[in-house]
Amino acid sequence: MATVAANPAAAAAPAEVAGAEDREPKREELPGLDNQWRQIENSESGRERPLRAGESWFLVEKHWYKQWEAYVQGGDQDSSTFPGCINNATLFEDEINWRLKEGLVEGEDYVLLPAAAWHYLVSWYGLEDGQPPIERKVIELSNIRKVEVYPVELLLVRHNDLRTSHAVQFSNTDSVGLVLRTARERFLVEPQEDTRLWAKNSEGSLDRLYDTHLTVFDSALETGQLIIMETRKKDGTWPSAQLHVMNKKILEEDEDFRGQPGICGLTNLGNTCFMNSALQCLSNVPQLTEYFLSNCYLEELNFRNPLGMKGEIAEAYADLVKQAWSGHHRSIVPHVFKNKVGHFASQFLGYQQHDSQELLSFLLDGLHEDLNRVKKKEYVELCDAAGRPDQEVAQEAWQNHKRRNDSVIVDTFHGLFKSTLVCPDCGNVSVTFDPFCYLSVPLPISHKRVLEVFFIPMDPRRKPEQHRLVVPKKGKISDLCVALSKHTGISPERMMVADVFSHRFYKLYQLEEPLSSILDRDDIFVYEVSGRIEAIEGSREDIVVPVYLRERTPARDYNNSYYGLMLFGHPLLVSVPRDRFTWEGLYNVLMYRLSRYVTKPSSDDEDDGDEKEDDEEDKDDVPGPSTGGSLREPEPEQPGPSSGVTNRCPFLLDNCLGTSQWPPRRRRKQLFTLQTVNSNGTSDRTTSPEEVHAQPYIAIDWEPEMKKRYYDEAEAEGYVKHDCVGYVMKKAPVRLQECIELFTTVETLEKENPWYCPSCKQHQLATKKLDLWMLPEILIIHLKRFSYTKFSREKLDTLVEFPIRDLDFSEFVIKPQNESNPELYKYDLIAVSNHYGGMRDGHYTTFACNKDSGQWHYFDDNSVSPVNENQIEV
């Protein structure tokens, strides 16, 4: 009910009353007094009948009604008590606006009559000239029915003219949609213009009236409340929305800009290219865009769906589409949309990189639930085929899906799979039909991978070499060594593979470990060695010693931790002959290995101050790299102050060298000192039980002045590139049809995802096959370029070839085809979301075909440029 108080003529229009008893009789003369009494008081259309929600009742002034009662009960039609015309003057405040007086009481000031009784009285006695009928609706609130004598009077204004208001009365049961329609009529809004309502609350702030299906009562609207109608601008924006632009110049330029609708960029808000790419693809789906531009979505917004986003995602997307297709913007800032997405999906809250398909999947699901025509979802039990014909099972599955899911997204994007599972033990076959919104198809995966490694030869005169190796993806570390051996001529048995990170060994690999444990971003060093790390008693093999480089720095305090030595350079794996396994022998071996970038001190640099202190020490000359040093017997009582080593292995460094630090006293000038350390390069070797009995690492500790004088950093960091570094593994392009074939290929379920066989009553690694049964009008194909494993993440950069027009799926659809419509499963391309770069530094762009012009464009965030069809690639 909407009654305009300022227009009594409109209010006086006869109401449409349902039911035979409420029809206005066509009478020319008064019926008998008894008949009058019976029809007004006692009949089914009389005032004694029960109230019915939604029907109209009328107020009649009590004094006039009492006079009428006295007249008909007197039994004399010619009596002087004849009431005359119905006169409700005493119920109104004035005779201009005909506003009802406040505080009127039923039975004292007025009586209520149903519509039929009122029309009888008016036809018999008439209504005072100029007076409007006082029509009121029966409403039902909290299961109580009553006549709403005092409707809610709202003050309607426009957003650009808040001073001119129109007082309009609405029933508590009227919808907000009626309020909006009434406001549009009062303000003469054109049919093609978009409008929405705001309510000014008691605190002075404005609340959006989102759900037009809610009643005035449920929206908590009160008499005297200001309702503001806002009209969308021609550029697709709302006056109340703050424009997020880079600067005022852009805003001024856009005010006068007129361009092709849909050719509009999206500003990158910070790693939001994935969102922009997905939005541009969806925006160029003709059916969906027309659905929003024509405002069809307004009637289907579902604000009460517990699985939805209260209509906010749909409205935010609609605003974005209307701006992009207004033709008034070169680019827009999707700040409001980004905030809405982050509000309902916390993974998109910040500004991290994401997959455009992940955003597209969320958006399609959100739009579907916000626009779901099913207001109350019923429980549907999924049924197996159980031997029934495929067509019967498929139709049942689709009908069950539509009973819970019915929206423009389902109409446009949803298709149907056939899933077949076969138990490997009992042969039980399970057939189900499942809906899908997009096809995630795999790419043919190469069984080879390219690894870049650095080879460190034992010959100190040779620089490290960078190699690019082609190895099997599911191979072992030994396969890497074999591949490198072909380039270097060094036997794989003389190689050790290490992951170097932050100047230390992050991991030393065993030959049987899988190559999948090496990530593409890892720095892999392969060392030529002549022995092994694990010393075996009685063996004559050289001992391989891990060596770190450290520089002594001034004492600094970080987080209450003391750091006096800093790692630098690349660590080494040094092969030490057993007969040279003394501190002095190790020093000379290291001087030999470092000779390419460490200069030996000259005779003038010798410091002989300490030689005079101990003549006994003079007898032990330091052996050169080519002379054999003597192996001192270990002294059990001096295992070294920080070694924590027992006699378990007699060849552990601490035992063989007798102390954990060297030299204890200087006899001649040494360039560096040696120290046993743990795998982290620190002296504390008792931090974990595993390291107590482990082979210690050696640290070469340099004084800053000595390092500056004798250590050539530029030469130490130098390396050469092997010819294989220029090799690029050629990847042949694949056809999109090949990806679809892979998608429909039989596969065996993984151990992490077994299938419960109802026949065997246990989980089985069944074979699974997916087939296409029914395809949607718009088909989304997701190429699974990103591969994730336990140890690695990689992007497959295989080029995929596809037709722009007439992509034929008829060979993949197993549903019996309609021969009269051969074009049923042929598709034309309309948009492509592209990813360039790697996993950590990629960028998304879009190719899309404009639905109006048919011209292809390249969307790169806020930049848009036309392209030819032959420039489109995936």
Side-chain angles (χ1 to χ4, degrees):
M1 165 184 165
T3 306
V4 183
N7 189 352
E16 179 179 345
V17 183
E21 71 275 15
D22 291 340
R23 294 173 187 163
E24 183 178 350
K26 303 292 184 180
R27 299 175 186 269
E28 296 181 357
E29 58 183 22
L30 288 175
L33 298 181
D34 290 339
N35 288 336
Q36 289 188 42
W37 178 259
R38 186 166 54 255
Q39 292 186 54
I40 300 302
E41 286 286 340
N42 298 329
S43 70
E44 292 183 359
S45 61
R47 61 187 293 249
E48 296 299 324
R49 72 172 181 82
L51 300 176
R52 297 168 186 166
E55 67 180 1
S56 295
W57 283 59
F58 292 79
L59 275 70
V60 177
E61 198 268 337
K62 177 67 179 296
H63 176 74
W64 183 93
Y65 191 79
K66 285 295 184 184
Q67 189 172 350
W68 173 81
E69 282 186 330
Y71 170 67
V72 295
Q73 290 176 351
D76 184 5
Q77 281 188 300
D78 299 325
S79 171
S80 59
T81 59
F82 183 79
C85 290
I86 301 173
N87 190 347
N88 290 329
T90 59
L91 301 181
F92 295 107
E93 286 185 350
D94 56 69
E95 296 185 359
I96 300 175
N97 295 320
W98 302 101
R99 188 185 304 275
L100 206 62
K101 289 181 178 179
E102 295 292 333
L104 297 178
V105 179
E106 182 182 4
E108 295 181 8
D109 303 300
Y110 64 87
V111 294
L112 288 169
L113 295 178
W118 163 260
H119 291 308
Y120 282 137
L121 289 179
V122 172
S123 67
W124 297 335
Y125 299 96
L127 181 63
E128 193 72 26
D129 288 343
Q131 284 189 12
I134 308 175
E135 180 184 2
R136 294 296 183 263
K137 287 287 184 70
V138 176
I139 63 174
E140 184 172 354
L141 298 175
S142 302
N143 296 322
I144 299 176
R145 295 175 185 174
K146 65 176 182 178
V147 177
E148 187 180 37
V149 176
Y150 292 99
V152 178
E153 186 174 88
L154 301 176
L155 303 178
L156 305 182
V157 298
R158 297 196 75 167
H159 72 274
N160 55 358
D161 185 12
L162 300 180
R163 295 183 179 179
T164 305
S165 64
H166 296 265
V168 183
Q169 291 184 340
F170 296 92
S171 167
N172 274 289
T173 58
D174 285 339
S175 68
V176 173
L178 178 61
V179 179
L180 179 60
R181 290 193 297 273
T182 304
R184 290 176 65 94
E185 292 171 1
R186 294 296 294 169
F187 298 119
L188 305 177
V189 177
E190 295 294 331
Q192 69 273 15
E193 292 186 274
D194 293 345
T195 54
R196 62 183 186 183
L197 296 179
W198 298 80
K200 187 175 183 180
N201 59 33
S202 59
E203 297 176 355
S205 58
L206 298 178
D207 298 324
R208 264 288 310 276
L209 298 177
Y210 287 97
D211 192 350
T212 56
H213 296 95
L214 285 180
T215 64
V216 170
F217 178 80
D218 291 333
S219 300
L221 300 183
E222 300 173 346
T223 294
Q225 193 165 1
L226 193 67
I227 304 298
I228 303 171
M229 187 187 73
E230 181 183 20
T231 305
R232 192 192 296 270
K233 297 165 64 176
K234 291 183 179 180
D235 65 357
T237 61
W238 294 101
S240 61
Q242 180 180 358
L243 292 176
H244 296 271
V245 294
M246 302 303 293
N247 52 51
K248 291 183 178 179
K249 184 179 179 181
I250 295 177
L251 178 58
E252 293 171 357
E253 289 178 353
D254 275 358
E255 286 181 354
D256 300 324
F257 177 75
R258 296 295 182 273
Q260 171 71 42
I263 311 305
C264 177
L266 296 172
T267 300
N268 193 322
L269 305 175
N271 281 334
T272 58
C273 58
F274 73 94
M275 181 183 76
N276 294 347
S277 179
L279 287 173
Q280 294 288 13
C281 286
L282 208 58
S283 172
N284 283 279
V285 175
Q287 297 88 329
L288 189 64
T289 296
E290 286 296 335
Y291 171 83
F292 281 99
L293 292 180
S294 61
N295 288 337
C296 294
Y297 75 99
L298 292 175
E299 294 301 317
E300 296 184 348
L301 283 169
N302 190 335
F303 297 96
R304 302 179 185 181
N305 186 353
L307 300 179
M309 286 80 173
K310 302 177 182 178
E312 295 184 37
I313 287 294
E315 287 205 324
Y317 179 74
D319 288 347
L320 205 66
V321 168
K322 287 176 179 289
Q323 292 177 50
W325 288 85
S326 67
H328 289 262
H329 298 283
R330 289 184 175 88
S331 67
I332 55 181
V333 185
H335 187 79
V336 174
F337 180 83
K338 168 72 169 58
N339 288 341
K340 290 290 183 185
V341 170
H343 176 71
F344 290 105
S346 58
Q347 67 267 32
F348 299 115
L349 259 180
Y351 296 92
Q352 302 298 316
Q353 294 186 12
H354 293 277
D355 187 356
S356 66
Q357 188 273 336
E358 183 184 4
L359 187 280
L360 184 62
S361 176
F362 163 78
L363 181 55
L364 287 173
D365 185 62
L367 290 176
H368 160 63
E369 296 296 355
D370 273 359
L371 300 168
N372 199 343
R373 304 174 187 117
V374 179
K375 306 306 179 184
K376 187 176 181 181
K377 294 190 177 186
E378 57 182 301
Y379 172 76
V380 175
E381 186 175 355
L382 299 178
C383 299
D384 193 82
R388 293 180 293 163
D390 283 351
Q391 286 184 293
E392 177 185 339
V393 182
Q395 184 178 4
E396 178 185 70
W398 185 250
Q399 289 176 348
N400 287 341
H401 179 60
K402 292 279 285 185
R403 283 162 63 187
R404 291 174 55 86
N405 305 277
D406 184 16
S407 70
V408 65
I409 303 299
V410 175
D411 298 341
T412 309
F413 298 100
H414 282 206
L416 204 62
F417 283 140
K418 177 186 177 183
S419 175
T420 306
L421 289 162
V422 180
C423 178
D425 285 355
C426 68
N428 179 44
V429 179
S430 171
V431 175
T432 57
F433 287 83
D434 304 302
F436 68 88
C437 189
Y438 50 84
L439 296 181
S440 289
V441 300
L443 272 67
I445 299 176
S446 171
H447 297 292
K448 300 286 185 180
R449 65 180 292 198
V450 176
L451 283 179
E452 288 192 359
V453 302
F454 286 92
F455 174 66
I456 314 297
M458 288 182 64
D459 186 349
R461 295 168 296 181
R462 292 174 58 189
K463 290 184 178 181
E465 300 172 356
Q466 184 184 17
H467 290 258
R468 180 171 290 173
L469 308 175
V470 179
V471 295
K473 279 189 175 180
K474 296 185 179 180
K476 300 178 181 179
I477 298 296
S478 58
D479 295 315
L480 183 152
C481 296
V482 170
L484 184 59
S485 176
K486 295 177 182 178
H487 293 183
T488 62
I490 303 299
S491 171
E493 287 76 20
R494 292 174 60 85
M495 296 180 183
M496 291 192 68
V497 182
D499 181 358
V500 174
F501 175 74
S502 190
H503 313 293
R504 56 173 61 88
F505 291 116
Y506 183 77
K507 183 174 183 180
L508 296 173
Y509 290 98
Q510 301 296 320
L511 293 177
E512 296 303 313
E513 290 190 65
L515 283 174
S516 58
S517 60
I518 296 179
L519 307 182
D520 289 337
R521 65 173 181 267
D522 292 342
D523 293 323
I524 301 300
F525 285 66
V526 181
Y527 297 84
E528 180 188 0
V529 296
S530 61
R532 54 193 300 161
I533 288 184
E534 302 86 358
I536 301 177
E537 188 171 2
S539 173
R540 294 186 178 183
E541 288 184 336
D542 293 350
I543 299 177
V544 178
V545 181
V547 178
Y548 291 154
L549 299 172
R550 303 193 300 184
E551 180 181 4
R552 195 173 301 279
T553 59
R556 287 179 290 180
D557 190 13
Y558 292 107
N559 298 327
N560 298 322
S561 298
Y562 180 86
Y563 290 88
L565 290 161
M566 300 293 290
L567 291 168
F568 71 93
H570 299 306
L572 297 171
L573 288 177
V574 180
S575 301
V576 182
R578 288 176 180 271
D579 59 355
R580 205 173 295 180
F581 208 55
T582 65
W583 281 119
E584 294 177 1
L586 182 59
Y587 176 87
N588 285 310
V589 170
L590 292 174
M591 281 295 294
Y592 176 70
R593 283 297 301 269
L594 303 176
S595 59
R596 183 171 56 84
Y597 46 90
V598 173
T599 306
K600 288 186 178 181
S602 64
S603 57
D604 295 336
D605 294 333
E606 295 289 346
D607 180 9
D608 58 355
D610 290 338
E611 289 183 352
K612 300 177 182 179
E613 296 179 5
D614 191 357
D615 293 336
E616 295 297 326
E617 295 285 342
D618 291 343
K619 298 178 183 179
D620 294 326
D621 285 339
V622 177
S626 61
T627 62
S630 60
L631 179 65
R632 290 188 293 182
E633 294 296 329
E635 302 177 16
E637 69 275 14
Q638 296 178 354
S642 63
S643 67
V645 178
T646 68
N647 290 330
R648 177 186 176 197
C649 178
F651 294 101
L652 288 176
L653 277 175
D654 286 355
N655 285 346
C656 297
L657 302 176
T659 179
S660 64
Q661 186 174 358
W662 182 87
R665 286 187 296 171
R666 284 192 177 178
R667 177 188 37 72
R668 63 170 53 180
K669 188 176 189 69
Q670 306 296 334
L671 299 188
F672 48 76
T673 60
L674 302 177
Q675 170 80 39
T676 57
V677 293
N678 59 21
S679 60
N680 289 323
T682 60
S683 299
D684 182 11
R685 293 187 54 222
T686 58
T687 54
S688 65
E690 293 80 4
E691 291 194 352
V692 171
H693 301 296
Q695 165 70 52
Y697 290 47
I698 293 294
I700 298 176
D701 293 340
W702 290 82
E703 295 292 339
E705 287 300 320
M706 299 295 284
K707 176 175 177 285
K708 182 178 180 181
R709 186 173 180 181
Y710 295 104
Y711 187 89
D712 187 342
E713 288 197 51
E715 182 64 24
E717 296 293 328
Y719 66 93
V720 295
K721 293 185 177 181
H722 190 270
D723 293 341
C724 64
V725 174
Y727 168 77
V728 177
M729 191 166 65
K730 294 182 179 179
K731 297 182 178 180
V734 300
R735 296 184 308 116
L736 182 58
Q737 289 88 334
E738 295 178 54
C739 302
I740 305 299
E741 288 174 1
L742 273 177
F743 176 79
T744 57
T745 300
V746 178
E747 62 177 352
T748 302
L749 298 179
E750 298 177 350
K751 293 181 179 179
E752 296 79 12
N753 187 30
W755 170 64
Y756 182 79
C757 176
S759 179
C760 297
K761 304 298 182 183
Q762 58 183 349
H763 288 89
Q764 300 284 4
L765 299 182
T767 59
K768 180 179 181 179
K769 188 179 191 306
L770 288 176
D771 289 296
L772 302 178
W773 179 266
M774 183 179 70
L775 295 181
E777 185 177 4
I778 301 295
L779 180 61
I780 301 175
I781 300 178
H782 167 226
L783 300 177
K784 297 168 71 173
R785 288 196 177 274
F786 298 117
S787 174
Y788 301 92
T789 66
K790 181 179 180 182
F791 299 102
S792 66
R793 297 186 304 166
E794 65 174 329
K795 178 191 173 184
L796 306 175
D797 54 1
T798 306
L799 186 65
V800 178
E801 296 177 340
F802 54 91
I804 302 296
R805 296 178 184 84
D806 293 334
L807 175 61
D808 194 353
F809 271 84
S810 57
E811 62 178 298
F812 301 109
V813 178
I814 65 172
K815 180 181 179 179
Q817 299 182 24
N818 183 3
E819 296 181 0
S820 63
N821 189 5
E823 304 296 316
L824 185 62
Y825 298 123
K826 288 186 178 181
Y827 288 87
D828 294 337
L829 186 69
I830 57 174
V832 177
S833 175
N834 263 332
H835 181 270
Y836 297 99
M839 295 288 292
R840 292 179 289 178
D841 55 357
H843 180 62
Y844 278 100
T845 59
T846 299
F847 292 103
C849 179
N850 186 272
K851 70 179 181 65
D852 297 333
S853 66
Q855 171 68 47
W856 281 88
H857 288 81
Y858 179 65
F859 297 83
D860 186 356
D861 288 334
N862 58 350
S863 173
V864 185
S865 56
V867 293
N868 297 321
E869 290 184 357
N870 56 10
Q871 296 176 264
I872 304 169
E873 60 180 24
V874 177

